[in-house]
Coordinates of all heavy atoms in Angstrom, one line a residue:
M12 N 71.2 -55.5 -9.0 CA 71.5 -54.1 -9.4 C 71.9 -53.3 -8.1 O 71.3 -53.4 -7.1 CB 70.3 -53.4 -10.0 CG 70.5 -52.0 -10.3 SD 68.9 -51.3 -10.8 CE 69.3 -50.3 -12.1
R13 N 73.0 -52.6 -8.2 CA 73.5 -51.8 -7.1 C 72.9 -50.5 -7.1 O 72.6 -49.9 -8.1 CB 75.1 -51.7 -7.2 CG 75.7 -53.1 -7.1 CD 77.2 -53.0 -7.5 NE 77.9 -52.3 -6.4 CZ 79.2 -52.0 -6.5 NH1 79.9 -52.3 -7.7 NH2 79.9 -51.4 -5.6
R14 N 72.7 -49.9 -5.8 CA 72.1 -48.6 -5.7 C 73.1 -47.7 -4.9 O 73.8 -48.2 -4.1 CB 70.8 -48.7 -4.9 CG 69.8 -49.5 -5.6 CD 68.5 -49.7 -4.8 NE 68.5 -49.2 -3.4 CZ 67.4 -49.0 -2.7 NH1 66.3 -49.3 -3.2 NH2 67.5 -48.5 -1.5
F15 N 73.1 -46.5 -5.3 CA 74.1 -45.5 -4.7 C 73.4 -44.2 -4.4 O 72.3 -43.9 -5.0 CB 75.2 -45.2 -5.7 CG 76.0 -46.4 -6.1 CD1 75.7 -47.2 -7.2 CD2 77.1 -46.7 -5.3 CE1 76.5 -48.3 -7.5 CE2 77.9 -47.8 -5.6 CZ 77.6 -48.6 -6.7
V16 N 74.0 -43.5 -3.5 CA 73.5 -42.1 -3.2 C 74.7 -41.2 -3.3 O 75.9 -41.5 -3.0 CB 73.0 -42.0 -1.7 CG1 74.0 -42.4 -0.7 CG2 72.3 -40.7 -1.4
L17 N 74.5 -40.0 -3.9 CA 75.5 -39.0 -4.1 C 76.1 -38.5 -2.7 O 75.3 -38.3 -1.8 CB 75.0 -37.8 -4.8 CG 74.9 -37.8 -6.3 CD1 74.2 -36.6 -6.9 CD2 76.3 -38.0 -6.9
L18 N 77.4 -38.3 -2.7 CA 78.0 -37.7 -1.5 C 78.5 -36.3 -1.8 O 78.8 -36.0 -3.0 CB 79.2 -38.5 -1.0 CG 78.8 -40.0 -0.6 CD1 80.1 -40.7 -0.3 CD2 77.9 -40.0 0.6
D19 N 78.7 -35.5 -0.9 CA 79.2 -34.1 -1.1 C 80.8 -34.2 -0.9 O 81.4 -33.4 -0.2 CB 78.6 -33.1 -0.1 CG 77.2 -32.8 -0.4 OD1 76.8 -33.0 -1.5 OD2 76.5 -32.3 0.5
H20 N 81.4 -35.1 -1.6 CA 82.8 -35.3 -1.6 C 83.3 -35.7 -3.0 O 82.5 -36.3 -3.8 CB 83.2 -36.4 -0.6 CG 82.9 -36.0 0.8 ND1 83.7 -35.2 1.6 CD2 81.8 -36.2 1.6 CE1 83.2 -35.0 2.7 NE2 82.0 -35.6 2.8
V21 N 84.6 -35.5 -3.3 CA 85.1 -35.8 -4.6 C 86.3 -36.7 -4.4 O 87.0 -36.7 -3.4 CB 85.5 -34.5 -5.4 CG1 84.3 -33.7 -5.7 CG2 86.5 -33.7 -4.7
C22 N 86.6 -37.5 -5.5 CA 87.7 -38.4 -5.6 C 89.1 -37.8 -5.6 O 89.3 -36.8 -6.3 CB 87.5 -39.2 -6.9 SG 88.8 -40.4 -7.2
R23 N 90.0 -38.3 -4.8 CA 91.3 -37.8 -4.7 C 92.2 -38.1 -5.9 O 93.2 -37.5 -6.1 CB 92.0 -38.2 -3.4 CG 92.3 -39.7 -3.4 CD 93.1 -40.1 -2.2 NE 92.2 -40.0 -1.0 CZ 92.5 -40.4 0.2 NH1 93.6 -41.1 0.4 NH2 91.7 -40.2 1.2
V24 N 91.7 -39.0 -6.8 CA 92.4 -39.4 -8.0 C 92.0 -38.5 -9.2 O 92.9 -38.0 -9.9 CB 92.2 -40.9 -8.3 CG1 92.9 -41.2 -9.6 CG2 92.7 -41.7 -7.2
C25 N 90.7 -38.4 -9.4 CA 90.2 -37.6 -10.6 C 89.3 -36.5 -10.3 O 88.9 -35.8 -11.3 CB 89.6 -38.6 -11.5 SG 87.9 -39.2 -11.0
Y26 N 89.0 -36.2 -9.1 CA 88.0 -35.2 -8.6 C 86.6 -35.4 -9.1 O 85.8 -34.5 -9.1 CB 88.5 -33.8 -9.1 CG 89.9 -33.4 -8.5 CD1 91.0 -33.5 -9.4 CD2 90.1 -33.1 -7.2 CE1 92.3 -33.2 -8.9 CE2 91.3 -32.9 -6.7 CZ 92.4 -32.9 -7.5 OH 93.7 -32.6 -7.0
G27 N 86.3 -36.6 -9.4 CA 84.9 -37.0 -9.8 C 84.1 -37.1 -8.5 O 84.6 -37.3 -7.4
R28 N 82.8 -37.0 -8.6 CA 81.8 -37.1 -7.5 C 81.8 -38.5 -6.9 O 81.7 -39.5 -7.6 CB 80.5 -36.7 -7.9 CG 79.4 -36.5 -6.9 CD 79.6 -35.1 -6.2 NE 78.6 -34.8 -5.2 CZ 77.5 -34.1 -5.5 NH1 77.3 -33.5 -6.6 NH2 76.6 -33.9 -4.5
L29 N 81.9 -38.6 -5.6 CA 81.8 -39.9 -4.9 C 80.3 -40.2 -4.6 O 79.5 -39.4 -4.4 CB 82.6 -39.8 -3.6 CG 84.1 -39.7 -3.7 CD1 84.7 -39.7 -2.3 CD2 84.7 -40.7 -4.5
V30 N 80.1 -41.5 -4.6 CA 78.8 -42.1 -4.3 C 79.0 -43.2 -3.3 O 80.0 -43.9 -3.3 CB 78.0 -42.6 -5.5 CG1 77.7 -41.5 -6.5 CG2 78.8 -43.7 -6.3
A31 N 78.0 -43.4 -2.4 CA 78.0 -44.4 -1.4 C 77.0 -45.5 -1.8 O 75.9 -45.2 -2.2 CB 77.6 -43.9 0.0
E32 N 77.4 -46.8 -1.7 CA 76.5 -47.9 -2.0 C 75.4 -48.0 -0.9 O 75.7 -47.8 0.3 CB 77.3 -49.2 -2.1 CG 76.4 -50.3 -2.6 CD 77.3 -51.6 -2.7 OE1 78.0 -51.9 -1.8 OE2 77.1 -52.2 -3.8
I33 N 74.2 -48.3 -1.3 CA 73.1 -48.4 -0.4 C 72.6 -49.9 -0.5 O 72.4 -50.4 -1.6 CB 71.9 -47.5 -0.8 CG1 72.4 -46.0 -0.8 CG2 70.7 -47.6 0.1 CD1 72.8 -45.5 0.5
S34 N 72.3 -50.5 0.6 CA 71.8 -51.8 0.7 C 70.3 -51.8 0.3 O 69.7 -50.8 0.2 CB 71.9 -52.4 2.1 OG 71.1 -51.8 3.0
V35 N 69.7 -53.0 0.1 CA 68.3 -53.2 -0.2 C 67.5 -52.6 0.9 O 66.4 -52.0 0.6 CB 68.0 -54.7 -0.3 CG1 66.5 -54.9 -0.6 CG2 68.8 -55.3 -1.5
E36 N 68.0 -52.6 2.2 CA 67.2 -52.0 3.3 C 67.4 -50.5 3.3 O 66.7 -49.8 4.2 CB 67.7 -52.6 4.6 CG 67.5 -54.1 4.8 CD 68.6 -54.9 4.1 OE1 69.7 -54.4 3.9 OE2 68.3 -56.0 3.7
G37 N 68.2 -49.9 2.5 CA 68.3 -48.5 2.4 C 69.4 -47.9 3.3 O 69.5 -46.7 3.5
K38 N 70.3 -48.8 3.8 CA 71.4 -48.4 4.7 C 72.7 -48.4 3.9 O 72.9 -49.2 3.0 CB 71.5 -49.3 5.9 CG 70.3 -49.2 6.8 CD 70.5 -50.1 7.9 CE 69.2 -50.1 8.8 NZ 69.2 -50.9 9.9
R39 N 73.6 -47.5 4.2 CA 75.0 -47.5 3.6 C 75.7 -48.8 3.9 O 75.8 -49.2 5.1 CB 75.7 -46.3 4.0 CG 75.2 -45.0 3.5 CD 76.1 -43.8 3.7 NE 75.4 -42.6 3.3 CZ 76.0 -41.4 3.4 NH1 77.2 -41.3 3.9 NH2 75.3 -40.4 3.0
T40 N 76.4 -49.3 2.9 CA 77.2 -50.5 3.1 C 78.6 -50.3 3.6 O 79.3 -51.2 3.9 CB 77.2 -51.4 1.8 OG1 77.9 -50.6 0.8 CG2 75.8 -51.7 1.3
G41 N 79.1 -49.1 3.4 CA 80.5 -48.7 3.7 C 81.3 -48.7 2.5 O 82.5 -48.2 2.6
K42 N 80.8 -49.1 1.4 CA 81.5 -49.0 0.1 C 81.3 -47.7 -0.6 O 80.2 -47.2 -0.6 CB 81.1 -50.1 -0.9 CG 81.6 -51.5 -0.4 CD 81.2 -52.5 -1.5 CE 81.7 -53.9 -1.0 NZ 81.4 -54.9 -2.0
V43 N 82.4 -47.1 -1.1 CA 82.3 -45.8 -1.7 C 82.9 -46.0 -3.1 O 83.9 -46.7 -3.3 CB 83.1 -44.7 -0.9 CG1 83.0 -43.4 -1.6 CG2 82.5 -44.6 0.5
R44 N 82.4 -45.3 -4.1 CA 82.8 -45.4 -5.5 C 82.9 -44.0 -6.1 O 82.0 -43.2 -5.8 CB 81.8 -46.3 -6.2 CG 82.1 -46.5 -7.7 CD 81.1 -47.4 -8.3 NE 81.3 -47.5 -9.7 CZ 82.0 -48.4 -10.3 NH1 82.6 -49.3 -9.6 NH2 82.1 -48.4 -11.6
C45 N 83.9 -43.8 -7.0 CA 83.9 -42.6 -7.8 C 83.0 -42.8 -9.0 O 83.1 -43.8 -9.7 CB 85.4 -42.3 -8.2 SG 85.5 -40.9 -9.3
S46 N 82.1 -41.8 -9.2 CA 81.2 -41.9 -10.3 C 81.9 -41.6 -11.7 O 81.3 -41.9 -12.7 CB 80.0 -40.9 -10.1 OG 80.5 -39.6 -10.1
D47 N 83.1 -41.1 -11.6 CA 83.9 -40.8 -12.9 C 84.9 -41.9 -13.2 O 84.8 -42.6 -14.3 CB 84.6 -39.5 -12.8 CG 83.7 -38.3 -13.0 OD1 82.5 -38.5 -13.2 OD2 84.2 -37.2 -12.9
C48 N 85.9 -42.2 -12.4 CA 86.9 -43.1 -12.7 C 86.6 -44.6 -12.3 O 87.3 -45.5 -12.7 CB 88.3 -42.7 -12.1 SG 88.4 -42.8 -10.3
G49 N 85.6 -44.7 -11.4 CA 85.2 -46.1 -11.0 C 85.9 -46.7 -9.9 O 85.7 -47.8 -9.5
L50 N 86.9 -46.0 -9.3 CA 87.7 -46.5 -8.2 C 86.7 -46.8 -7.0 O 85.8 -46.0 -6.8 CB 88.7 -45.5 -7.8 CG 89.8 -45.9 -6.8 CD1 90.6 -47.1 -7.4 CD2 90.7 -44.7 -6.5
E51 N 86.9 -47.9 -6.3 CA 86.0 -48.3 -5.3 C 86.8 -48.7 -4.1 O 87.8 -49.4 -4.2 CB 85.1 -49.4 -5.8 CG 83.9 -49.7 -4.9 CD 83.0 -50.7 -5.5 OE1 82.5 -50.4 -6.7 OE2 82.7 -51.7 -4.9
E52 N 86.3 -48.3 -2.9 CA 87.0 -48.7 -1.6 C 85.9 -48.9 -0.6 O 84.8 -48.4 -0.7 CB 87.9 -47.6 -1.1 CG 89.1 -47.3 -2.0 CD 90.2 -48.4 -1.8 OE1 90.1 -49.2 -0.8 OE2 91.0 -48.5 -2.7
S53 N 86.3 -49.7 0.5 CA 85.4 -49.8 1.7 C 86.0 -48.9 2.7 O 87.1 -48.5 2.7 CB 85.5 -51.3 2.1 OG 84.9 -52.1 1.2
G54 N 85.1 -48.6 3.7 CA 85.6 -47.8 4.9 C 85.1 -46.4 4.9 O 85.6 -45.6 5.6
G55 N 84.1 -46.1 4.1 CA 83.5 -44.7 4.1 C 84.2 -43.8 3.1 O 85.2 -44.2 2.5
Y56 N 83.7 -42.6 3.0 CA 84.1 -41.6 2.0 C 85.6 -41.3 2.2 O 86.3 -41.0 1.2 CB 83.2 -40.4 2.0 CG 83.4 -39.5 3.2 CD1 84.3 -38.5 3.1 CD2 82.6 -39.6 4.3 CE1 84.5 -37.6 4.2 CE2 82.8 -38.8 5.4 CZ 83.7 -37.8 5.3 OH 83.8 -36.9 6.4
R57 N 86.1 -41.2 3.4 CA 87.5 -40.8 3.6 C 88.5 -41.7 2.9 O 89.7 -41.3 2.7 CB 87.8 -40.6 5.0 CG 87.2 -39.4 5.6 CD 87.9 -38.9 6.8 NE 87.3 -37.7 7.4 CZ 87.9 -36.5 7.3 NH1 89.0 -36.4 6.7 NH2 87.3 -35.5 7.8
A58 N 88.1 -42.9 2.6 CA 89.0 -43.8 1.9 C 89.4 -43.3 0.5 O 90.4 -43.7 -0.1 CB 88.4 -45.2 1.8
L59 N 88.5 -42.5 -0.1 CA 88.7 -42.0 -1.5 C 88.7 -40.5 -1.6 O 89.1 -40.0 -2.6 CB 87.6 -42.6 -2.5 CG 87.7 -44.0 -2.9 CD1 86.5 -44.3 -3.8 CD2 89.0 -44.3 -3.6
C60 N 88.2 -39.8 -0.6 CA 88.0 -38.4 -0.7 C 89.2 -37.6 -0.5 O 90.2 -37.9 0.2 CB 87.0 -38.1 0.4 SG 86.6 -36.4 0.5
C61 N 89.2 -36.4 -1.1 CA 90.3 -35.4 -0.9 C 90.4 -34.9 0.5 O 91.5 -34.5 0.9 CB 90.0 -34.2 -1.8 SG 90.3 -34.5 -3.6
C62 N 89.3 -35.0 1.3 CA 89.4 -34.7 2.7 C 90.3 -35.6 3.5 O 90.8 -35.2 4.5 CB 88.0 -34.8 3.4 SG 86.8 -33.6 2.8
G63 N 90.6 -36.8 2.9 CA 91.5 -37.7 3.6 C 92.9 -37.7 3.2 O 93.7 -38.5 3.7
L64 N 93.3 -36.7 2.4 CA 94.7 -36.6 1.9 C 95.6 -36.3 3.1 O 95.3 -35.4 3.9 CB 94.8 -35.5 0.8 CG 94.2 -35.9 -0.5 CD1 94.3 -34.7 -1.4 CD2 95.0 -37.1 -1.1
K65 N 96.7 -37.0 3.1 CA 97.7 -36.8 4.2 C 99.1 -36.4 3.5 O 99.4 -36.8 2.4 CB 97.9 -38.1 5.0 CG 96.6 -38.6 5.6 CD 96.5 -38.1 7.0 CE 95.4 -38.8 7.7 NZ 94.4 -37.9 8.2
L66 N 99.9 -35.7 4.3 CA 101.3 -35.4 3.9 C 102.1 -36.6 4.1 O 101.7 -37.6 4.7 CB 101.8 -34.2 4.6 CG 101.1 -32.9 4.5 CD1 101.6 -31.9 5.4 CD2 101.1 -32.4 3.1
R67 N 103.3 -36.7 3.6 CA 104.2 -37.8 3.8 C 104.4 -38.2 5.2 O 104.6 -39.3 5.6 CB 105.6 -37.6 3.1 CG 105.5 -37.6 1.6 CD 106.9 -37.5 1.0 NE 106.8 -37.4 -0.4 CZ 107.8 -37.2 -1.2 NH1 109.0 -37.1 -0.7 NH2 107.6 -37.0 -2.5
N68 N 104.4 -37.2 6.1 CA 104.6 -37.4 7.5 C 103.4 -37.8 8.2 O 103.3 -38.0 9.5 CB 105.2 -36.2 8.2 CG 104.3 -35.0 8.2 OD1 103.1 -35.1 7.8 ND2 104.8 -33.8 8.6
G69 N 102.3 -38.0 7.5 CA 101.0 -38.5 8.1 C 100.1 -37.4 8.6 O 99.0 -37.7 9.0
K70 N 100.5 -36.2 8.5 CA 99.7 -35.0 8.9 C 98.7 -34.7 7.9 O 98.8 -34.9 6.7 CB 100.7 -33.8 9.1 CG 100.0 -32.6 9.7 CD 101.0 -31.5 9.9 CE 100.2 -30.2 10.4 NZ 101.1 -29.1 10.5
D71 N 97.5 -34.2 8.4 CA 96.4 -33.8 7.5 C 96.9 -32.8 6.6 O 97.5 -31.8 7.0 CB 95.3 -33.3 8.4 CG 94.0 -33.0 7.6 OD1 94.1 -32.8 6.4 OD2 93.0 -32.9 8.3
A72 N 96.6 -32.9 5.3 CA 97.0 -32.0 4.2 C 96.2 -30.7 4.2 O 96.6 -29.7 3.6 CB 97.0 -32.6 2.9
G73 N 95.0 -30.7 4.8 CA 94.2 -29.5 4.9 C 93.2 -29.3 3.8 O 92.6 -28.2 3.7
F74 N 93.0 -30.3 2.9 CA 92.1 -30.1 1.8 C 90.7 -30.6 2.3 O 90.6 -31.6 3.0 CB 92.5 -30.9 0.6 CG 93.7 -30.4 0.0 CD1 95.0 -31.0 0.2 CD2 93.7 -29.2 -0.8 CE1 96.1 -30.5 -0.4 CE2 94.9 -28.7 -1.4 CZ 96.1 -29.4 -1.2
R75 N 89.6 -29.8 1.9 CA 88.3 -30.2 2.2 C 87.4 -30.0 1.0 O 87.5 -29.1 0.2 CB 87.7 -29.3 3.3 CG 88.5 -29.4 4.6 CD 88.3 -30.7 5.3 NE 89.1 -30.8 6.5 CZ 90.3 -31.3 6.6 NH1 90.9 -31.8 5.6 NH2 90.9 -31.4 7.8
C76 N 86.4 -30.9 0.9 CA 85.4 -30.8 -0.1 C 84.3 -29.9 0.4 O 83.8 -30.0 1.5 CB 84.8 -32.2 -0.4 SG 85.9 -33.4 -1.0
V77 N 84.0 -28.9 -0.5 CA 83.0 -27.9 -0.1 C 82.0 -27.6 -1.3 O 82.4 -27.9 -2.4 CB 83.7 -26.5 0.3 CG1 84.5 -26.7 1.5 CG2 84.5 -26.0 -0.9
L78 N 80.9 -27.1 -1.0 CA 79.9 -26.7 -2.0 C 80.5 -25.5 -2.8 O 81.1 -24.6 -2.2 CB 78.6 -26.2 -1.4 CG 77.7 -27.3 -0.8 CD1 76.6 -26.7 -0.1 CD2 77.3 -28.3 -1.9
N79 N 80.4 -25.6 -4.1 CA 80.8 -24.5 -5.0 C 79.8 -23.4 -5.0 O 78.7 -23.6 -5.6 CB 81.1 -25.0 -6.4 CG 81.6 -24.0 -7.3 OD1 81.8 -22.8 -7.0 ND2 81.8 -24.4 -8.6
L80 N 80.0 -22.3 -4.3 CA 79.0 -21.3 -4.2 C 79.0 -20.3 -5.3 O 78.2 -19.4 -5.4 CB 79.2 -20.5 -2.9 CG 79.1 -21.4 -1.6 CD1 79.4 -20.5 -0.4 CD2 77.8 -22.0 -1.5
D81 N 80.0 -20.5 -6.3 CA 80.1 -19.6 -7.4 C 80.2 -20.4 -8.7 O 81.2 -20.4 -9.4 CB 81.3 -18.7 -7.2 CG 81.4 -17.6 -8.3 OD1 80.4 -17.2 -8.8 OD2 82.6 -17.2 -8.6
I82 N 79.1 -21.2 -9.0 CA 79.1 -22.0 -10.2 C 79.1 -21.1 -11.4 O 78.3 -20.2 -11.6 CB 77.9 -23.0 -10.2 CG1 78.1 -23.9 -9.0 CG2 77.8 -23.7 -11.5 CD1 76.9 -24.9 -8.8
T83 N 80.1 -21.4 -12.3 CA 80.2 -20.7 -13.6 C 80.4 -21.7 -14.7 O 80.7 -22.9 -14.4 CB 81.5 -19.8 -13.6 OG1 82.6 -20.6 -13.4 CG2 81.4 -18.8 -12.4
P84 N 80.4 -21.3 -16.0 CA 80.7 -22.3 -17.1 C 82.1 -22.8 -17.0 O 82.3 -23.9 -17.4 CB 80.5 -21.4 -18.3 CG 79.5 -20.3 -17.9 CD 79.8 -20.0 -16.5
E85 N 83.0 -22.0 -16.4 CA 84.4 -22.4 -16.3 C 84.6 -23.4 -15.1 O 85.5 -24.2 -15.1 CB 85.3 -21.2 -16.1 CG 85.4 -20.3 -17.3 CD 84.2 -19.4 -17.4 OE1 83.5 -19.1 -16.4 OE2 84.0 -18.8 -18.5
M86 N 83.7 -23.3 -14.1 CA 83.8 -24.2 -12.9 C 82.4 -24.7 -12.6 O 81.7 -24.2 -11.7 CB 84.4 -23.4 -11.8 CG 84.5 -24.2 -10.5 SD 85.7 -25.5 -10.5 CE 87.2 -24.5 -10.3
P87 N 81.9 -25.6 -13.4 CA 80.5 -26.1 -13.2 C 80.3 -27.1 -12.1 O 79.1 -27.4 -11.8 CB 80.1 -26.7 -14.6 CG 81.5 -27.2 -15.0 CD 82.5 -26.2 -14.5
A88 N 81.3 -27.6 -11.5 CA 81.2 -28.6 -10.5 C 80.4 -28.1 -9.2 O 80.6 -27.0 -8.7 CB 82.5 -29.2 -10.0
E89 N 79.5 -29.0 -8.7 CA 78.7 -28.6 -7.5 C 79.6 -28.7 -6.3 O 79.5 -27.9 -5.3 CB 77.5 -29.6 -7.4 CG 76.6 -29.2 -6.3 CD 75.4 -30.1 -6.2 OE1 75.4 -31.2 -6.8 OE2 74.4 -29.7 -5.6
I90 N 80.5 -29.7 -6.2 CA 81.5 -29.9 -5.1 C 82.9 -29.7 -5.6 O 83.3 -30.2 -6.6 CB 81.3 -31.3 -4.5 CG1 79.9 -31.6 -4.2 CG2 82.2 -31.5 -3.3 CD1 79.3 -30.7 -3.1
I91 N 83.6 -28.9 -4.9 CA 85.0 -28.6 -5.2 C 85.9 -28.8 -4.0 O 85.4 -29.0 -2.9 CB 85.2 -27.1 -5.8 CG1 84.8 -26.1 -4.7 CG2 84.5 -27.0 -7.1 CD1 85.0 -24.7 -5.1
V92 N 87.2 -28.8 -4.2 CA 88.2 -29.0 -3.1 C 88.9 -27.7 -2.9 O 89.4 -27.0 -3.8 CB 89.2 -30.1 -3.5 CG1 90.2 -30.3 -2.4 CG2 88.5 -31.4 -3.9
K93 N 89.0 -27.3 -1.6 CA 89.7 -26.1 -1.2 C 90.6 -26.5 -0.1 O 90.4 -27.4 0.7 CB 88.7 -25.1 -0.7 CG 88.0 -24.3 -1.8 CD 87.3 -23.1 -1.2 CE 86.7 -22.3 -2.3 NZ 86.1 -21.1 -1.8
H94 N 91.7 -25.7 0.0 CA 92.6 -25.9 1.2 C 92.2 -24.9 2.3 O 91.9 -23.8 2.0 CB 94.1 -25.5 0.8 CG 95.0 -25.7 1.8 ND1 95.4 -24.8 2.7 CD2 95.7 -26.9 2.2 CE1 96.3 -25.3 3.6 NE2 96.4 -26.6 3.3
V95 N 92.0 -25.5 3.4 CA 91.6 -24.6 4.6 C 92.6 -24.6 5.7 O 93.3 -25.6 5.9 CB 90.2 -25.2 5.1 CG1 89.1 -25.1 4.1 CG2 90.4 -26.6 5.6
D96 N 92.8 -23.5 6.3 CA 93.7 -23.4 7.4 C 93.0 -23.6 8.7 O 92.0 -23.0 8.9 CB 94.4 -22.0 7.4 CG 95.3 -21.7 6.2 OD1 96.0 -22.7 5.8 OD2 95.3 -20.6 5.7
E97 N 93.4 -24.6 9.4 CA 92.7 -24.9 10.7 C 93.6 -24.6 11.9 O 94.7 -24.5 11.9 CB 92.4 -26.4 10.7 CG 91.4 -26.8 9.6 CD 90.9 -28.2 9.7 OE1 91.8 -29.1 9.6 OE2 89.7 -28.4 9.7

């Protein structure tokens, strides 16, 4: 049986919550999975997260996963994606 821990990041494909796989010893294995669409990658959360989105020229697109500080029935997600100017 595989074990996972919730991450404060969302999938760049479907915006579902990402989870990190945990070994029997309680350490992260490096595998990350979307809890909604099931997409799975190795290499940490940036492999699937919206924080890792790049423009065609390879530049950071500026999207970040953040806590939703204004949870409403219309926007019930705990983690959302926002564009930030850096």
Side-chain angles (χ1 to χ4, degrees):
M12 178 189 219
R13 297 169 72 186
R14 297 178 353 167
F15 297 92
V16 63
L17 277 173
L18 299 176
D19 288 341
H20 294 277
V21 297
C22 176
R23 67 178 65 170
V24 174
C25 73
Y26 302 105
R28 189 81 177 259
L29 294 181
V30 294
E32 186 177 49
I33 302 297
S34 69
V35 176
E36 297 82 26
K38 297 181 181 178
R39 290 188 186 182
T40 65
K42 289 186 180 178
V43 179
R44 178 181 174 90
C45 175
S46 63
D47 285 357
C48 72
L50 192 61
E51 191 170 308
E52 291 287 341
S53 294
Y56 72 90
R57 285 202 179 253
L59 286 180
C60 179
C61 288
C62 293
L64 287 174
K65 304 263 188 239
L66 300 174
R67 287 185 189 176
N68 63 7
K70 186 177 176 185
D71 185 340
F74 292 103
R75 298 292 178 266
C76 297
V77 297
L78 288 172
N79 183 1
L80 300 177
D81 188 28
I82 294 176
T83 64
E85 294 80 18
M86 180 69 76
E89 184 176 22
I90 307 298
I91 58 174
V92 179
K93 283 191 173 185
H94 185 266
V95 296
D96 293 323
E97 295 183 304

